[in-house]
Amino acid sequence: METPETLHAETLQQLLADWFAPWVQELGLRVESCGDGEVTLRLPFSERLARIGGMVCGQALMSAADTAMVLAIVSRLGTKQPMTTVQLNSSFLKPLAGQDALVTARIVRAGKSLVFGEIDIVAAGDGKSVCRASTTYALL
C-alpha cells in the first residue's frame, strides 16, 4: 500500500473494485481527486438510481457518501485498516435530478480509534449543494 504522500487517484479507484461489495461497484463511482484526508467521487446519474421525477434516491447518495469517507480515511492512513461506520447523519437540501453528483469527503479529526468526517454532495452540472453529512468511523 502506498503512503499518504504518494497515494494517487488511480490507487483509490482500484480499491473501489477490490474492497467494496458488487452492488456498491454498480454505482459506477469514479475518483475525481484525492489528497491527505480528502476524496471527491463522481456518482454518475443513472435511471437505475432515480425515482419518481428522475430524482436520485437518497440511498444511492448515502452509499456514495459512506464509500467516499472510507477512501478519505485510507488517504490519511495510507493503509487498509478494518473500520466500520458508527454514525452517518445526513441533511438533504434539495433534490438531485438528471445530473451527476460530486461527493467530497473530508476528515475533520482522526484519532487512534475514531475518525470524524464531513461530506458535501453537490450537483456536478450546476455546483448546487444537495446534501451535507457528518460521520464517525471506528478503527478496528
Side-chain angles (χ1 to χ4, degrees), residues 35-56:
D36 180 15
E38 183 172 322
V39 170
T40 298
L41 301 180
R42 179 179 291 266
L43 173 63
F45 176 79
S46 166
E47 290 296 331
R48 290 185 51 171
L49 303 179
R51 58 185 191 88
I52 296 171
M55 294 180 290
V56 176

Side-chain angles (χ1 to χ4, degrees), residues 8-28:
H8 297 287
E10 299 82 24
T11 302
L12 293 177
Q13 189 68 49
Q14 186 59 50
L15 295 180
L16 280 169
D18 293 345
W19 293 1
F20 293 90
W23 68 268
V24 175
Q25 294 177 34
E26 289 176 16
L27 293 172

